[in-house]
Structure formats: structure tokens, C-alpha cells
Amino acid sequence: QSKRWRLTWHLRVWWCGPVIRSGQPIICGTPITVWDILGWLAAGATEGQILEDYPDLAHEDLVAALQFAYDLKDKFPLETAV
């Protein structure tokens, strides 16, 4: 993968203890989880709509959430049906 397009999500996503959002990965400085962002995008929200509704978020936060999810693919390989 091109380093030009590689965002280090580690700078924007925190794993918190169980006190904050039950330990889910959140965007730094917000109570918004990666799963919140992925859910909004999956429901059809545009980047512009999300950023308008949540002014504490930036474009880089949305990209970090996607990168975080992408990086999980290597941790949970899918089993193929035979």
C-alpha cells in the first residue's frame, strides 16, 4: 500500500478503558466511536453531513475510522465455505 495514502490511525483513535463508551475505540477528544462513524457512513450519510452534525470531527477522523476498520481485516480472517 502506498505510504502516500497511508494514514496512521493510531494518532487519532484511542482504545479507552471501560469507563468511556465501554472501552470501544473512540476518536481522540470526543466520545464518538469508530463504530458510530462506520454506522453513519453505512447508513448513507455523506462526509459533509457528518462533519456538519459533529463539528468536533475532521476529515482526518473519518479517514482514521476507515483505516482502523481496514486494519482489523488482518486480525479476523474470514473463513471461506467449502
Side-chain angles (χ1 to χ4, degrees):
Q1 185 179 28
S2 170
K3 291 186 182 203
R4 177 178 175 205
W5 299 109
R6 182 90 173 160
L7 174 72
T8 305
W9 59 258
H10 302 86
L11 300 176
R12 301 194 80 86
V13 176
W14 290 347
W15 284 97
C16 296
V19 175
I20 300 174
R21 296 294 303 262
S22 302
Q24 297 178 41
I26 63 168
I27 301 300
C28 298
T30 77
I32 298 169
T33 69
V34 167
W35 315 129
D36 292 333
I37 293 171
L38 295 177
W40 299 329
L41 292 170
T46 66
E47 176 181 345
Q49 290 169 326
I50 295 170
L51 296 178
E52 183 178 327
D53 290 347
Y54 298 92
D56 290 341
L57 292 177
H59 165 79
E60 293 79 12
D61 296 321
L62 304 185
V63 173
L66 292 171
Q67 184 67 48
F68 178 89
Y70 176 81
D71 284 352
L72 283 181
K73 74 174 179 34
D74 296 328
K75 297 189 182 337
F76 301 99
L78 297 175
E79 293 185 25
T80 56
V82 253

